[in-house]
Amino acid sequence: LWQLTKNFAFPHWPWFAAGLVFLAITNLITLQIPQLAKEIVNQLAEAGAMEGMAQIALAIIGLGTLQMFIRALSRIFIFWPGRKLEAEVKEHLFTKVLRLPVSFFLQHGMGDLISRISNDVNHLRVFYAFGFLQFANIAFLTAFIITQMLSVHVALTILCLLPLVAMFLITRMIVPKMHAASKENQVAVGALTNRVTESFVNIHVIQTNSIEDTFLQRCKTENDKVYESHMKLVFIRTYLFPLMTCLAGMSQLAILFYGGYQVIQGHLTVGDILAFNIYIGLLTFPLTAVGIILAIVQRAKTAIDRVKDIDIATEEQVSPRAKALPHDVKGDVAIAIRGLTYRFPQSIAEADADTSTPVIQIPLLDIPKGEKLGIVGPIGSGKSTLLHLITRLYDPPEGTIFVGGHDVMGMPPQELRQQVGYALQSVHLFSESIAGNLNFGITALTPDKLQSVVSNAALTSDVEGFTKGLSTEIGERGLRLSGGQKQRLAIARLLARSHPIVLLDDVLSAVDQKTEQQLIANLFQKDQTALVVSHRESALQACDRVILLERGAIADEGTYPDLLKRHPHLENLDQTTTALSQAN
């Protein structure tokens, strides 16, 4: 809480300070109204005297009008920095999330992260704006009113404030239960958001498999948890708020009985009793607002715990102990691997997976600049994992993978990925136009460059077939495109960036043979170094060299025809992969 306040709330202290000043003025005005009402009653009690009555009434109206404007200013000055804080915290968390490693996202669902950045930060905004306002309002009102009441009658004031002690004791017992219920509710909201987001992202899968009822039931289960946890909070509040009101009513009873007795004894006037009643009425809302503030504080406390999980997560780091380039690596080598043994850490592996068995074991591999290296092997042999390690989606051991003469663990991830372009096996497109996807994250391409990239990705005829051409919106995750069009658009996006090294992870599985040959010709005529994971014969035959991975190790290497002679089963891998692609 202190770090959050120091980093995001304290920079806006002039706004909070101005709000406090106007709030104090508002409460001082509030205190004057009971005194004027007291004067009216005392004058009426003294033989019905009416002198100055009109002036007092006008003063009350004037003070009420002035109070309205000053109270509005106090809210503006306090609520505005609350909104600003909300925006800054959300921007900070989103920036942090973009720099977190893949392992973090394997542990947290997308909907849960959205809930933390959206709902939980909203709770923090309410705490710093509305909660701060109400806390300050209670502090001012209580201090000013108690001072005013003590100046009238000490014993009656103490008697009226005794319910506050009972309120303190009750809240001490209730707060832990509120915190537990609040945390349970916010976790349930995150789970529900995750489930709903998952349903929307995969809506085409749900509809094509006619499993709407299954997902409705799953969402209903999560929704019921949200309802039940929220009702626990409602149950606590339902008893807490009326109890606060009841305590305030007990204070008014004390005024009527003990204060009335003091009037009979001549120690107080009727006007004093009226003023006391108004003061207790003014304290009624702060007393009942204590319950509201407690709820706000508990939600904020839970929100901080959930937001902190993001804030303290370790970003992708540059290792200060990165190894120097081995002496046996020549200057014309684009990628060098030395003694690479990699096991999935527990943060990445499945809960019951064996993390003691290496998934990659490559003692020595050099890939010269400009070489087209094919990678083939059965499912689960470590092909995609190797590419993940080269791009640091998974962090390899230090001193095992070198790109451009540098240990990848000693390179800033962004700098590494500017040199190494990676087209993943699963295509990820943005809900943008075709041109927007090609320009995403880089300086806008010229029309000639766009046309060249589209042509090299064998997309020209497809783009011309759309009414709006490159301006065609492709929908969520490219929903309006076929599988082959998605793959080619992803390839075009990679080509637009002109990386010295490109990694292609089975990106030709959904294209026909004619288009595949055109793509291979366009991709391989460049001077780029390329690592091509594929089972397609035409793609592997176009490679300068092919390595066969089995259980994470290089079982053999050579040209594809030579490998096929020594390992005839590779042809079956090609046929199996083609069948799976057609089925998908």
Side-chain angles (χ1 to χ4, degrees), residues 337-343 356-364 381-382 385-386 389 549-555:
I337 296 177
R338 293 291 184 274
L340 174 61
T341 299
Y342 179 76
R343 298 174 178 85
S356 63
T357 304
V359 290
I360 291 289
Q361 281 186 302
I362 301 179
L364 177 67
S381 58
T385 301
L386 176 60
L389 291 170
L549 280 185
E550 290 183 353
R551 296 182 181 179
I554 299 177

Side-chain angles (χ1 to χ4, degrees), residues 51-107:
E51 295 180 6
M53 196 72 71
Q55 290 86 342
I56 295 175
L58 287 174
I60 291 175
I61 294 172
L63 286 175
T65 305
L66 180 63
Q67 183 189 41
M68 178 179 67
F69 287 105
I70 295 179
R71 185 180 293 278
L73 285 173
S74 70
R75 287 176 174 265
I76 289 171
F77 277 97
I78 291 177
F79 285 0
W80 183 88
R83 289 289 184 183
K84 186 68 175 174
L85 178 144
E86 177 189 13
E88 290 173 351
V89 172
K90 286 182 176 179
E91 182 178 353
H92 167 75
L93 292 176
F94 185 68
T95 303
K96 179 66 180 281
V97 165
L98 292 179
R99 295 172 179 169
L100 294 177
V102 171
S103 58
F104 178 84
F105 297 97
L106 294 177
Q107 296 173 352

Side-chain angles (χ1 to χ4, degrees), residues 220-348:
K220 182 181 183 303
T221 301
E222 302 294 349
N223 197 34
D224 288 343
K225 291 179 182 178
V226 173
Y227 170 77
E228 290 168 4
S229 59
H230 187 70
M231 288 307 295
K232 289 181 183 178
L233 277 174
V234 171
F235 181 81
I236 295 172
R237 294 174 192 166
T238 301
Y239 282 92
L240 182 62
F241 296 164
L243 185 59
M244 299 298 108
T245 306
C246 179
L247 292 173
M250 291 176 64
S251 296
Q252 290 180 322
L253 282 175
I255 294 172
L256 289 175
F257 283 94
Y258 184 72
Y261 174 75
Q262 293 297 318
V263 171
I264 294 172
Q265 296 296 317
H267 299 146
L268 290 174
T269 66
V270 176
D272 290 329
I273 296 300
L274 174 66
F276 255 90
N277 260 308
I278 295 176
Y279 287 140
I280 291 299
L282 293 173
L283 276 176
T284 299
F285 175 74
L287 285 171
T288 56
V290 168
I292 299 174
I293 291 175
L294 286 173
I296 291 173
V297 169
Q298 292 310 314
R299 282 193 173 274
K301 185 178 178 181
T302 305
I304 288 174
D305 289 340
R306 285 165 55 78
V307 165
K308 185 174 68 174
D309 289 342
I310 299 176
D311 196 46
I312 66 174
T314 304
E315 297 182 14
E316 294 180 303
Q317 301 292 321
V318 176
S319 173
R321 304 183 301 276
K323 304 294 180 65
L325 186 70
H327 295 296
D328 62 339
V329 178
K330 299 178 181 179
D332 60 348
V333 173
I335 299 175
I337 296 177
R338 293 291 184 274
L340 174 61
T341 299
Y342 179 76
R343 298 174 178 85
F344 283 133
Q346 198 61 55
S347 59
I348 295 177

Side-chain angles (χ1 to χ4, degrees), residues 391 416-423 494 499-504:
T391 54
L416 170 65
R417 291 160 193 164
Q418 286 171 356
Q419 293 189 39
V420 183
Y422 188 8
L494 186 67
H499 299 285
I501 302 171
V502 293
L503 313 181
L504 306 175

